[in-house]
Amino acid sequence: QVQLVESGGGLVQAGDSLRLSCATSGRAITIYGMGWFRQAPGKEREFVAAISRSGFSTRYADSVKGRFAVSRDIAKSTLYLQMNSLKPEDTAVYYCAHQKGGILVATATADQYDYWGQGTQVTVSS
């Protein structure tokens, strides 16, 4: 089975940067797309960023575009989310997700992913 383990969350101040990691096992990230979602208290889970199985297609939510960057290290089987210029509204639990097989582009809805990590908390203070 696919296993995803997130890390890198923490408490930071507005304007700071943080890099989240998602270690994967069970399937090669080179043949499956991956994504990042987040869920803030009292809100529904929302899309953040995604990378296609090829690694050449990425997609970002409008709220994070220009500030966040998704990438992967194939040798380490790890997905990353680099978060810069963090804002208090970025506070949420961040989840990495494994895209369903056969999808060739980065996708932005949760129903297009079939495995999820346990989440890592990111808190951004003013």
Side-chain angles (χ1 to χ4, degrees), residues 2-17:
V2 176
Q3 297 181 59
L4 309 174
V5 181
E6 296 131 316
S7 62
L11 174 63
V12 297
Q13 294 184 330
D16 284 353
S17 296

Side-chain angles (χ1 to χ4, degrees), residues 47-71:
F47 169 76
V48 177
I51 185 168
S52 67
R53 58 190 290 180
S54 70
F56 296 120
S57 175
T58 57
R59 178 175 292 183
Y60 298 92
D62 289 342
S63 60
V64 306
K65 193 169 186 177
R67 299 189 297 120
F68 291 10
V70 62
S71 63

Side-chain angles (χ1 to χ4, degrees), residues 61-83:
D62 289 342
S63 60
V64 306
K65 193 169 186 177
R67 299 189 297 120
F68 291 10
V70 62
S71 63
R72 63 184 187 179
D73 186 323
I74 297 174
K76 296 181 179 179
S77 297
T78 301
L79 178 76
Y80 300 102
L81 182 66
Q82 178 65 46
M83 305 185 294

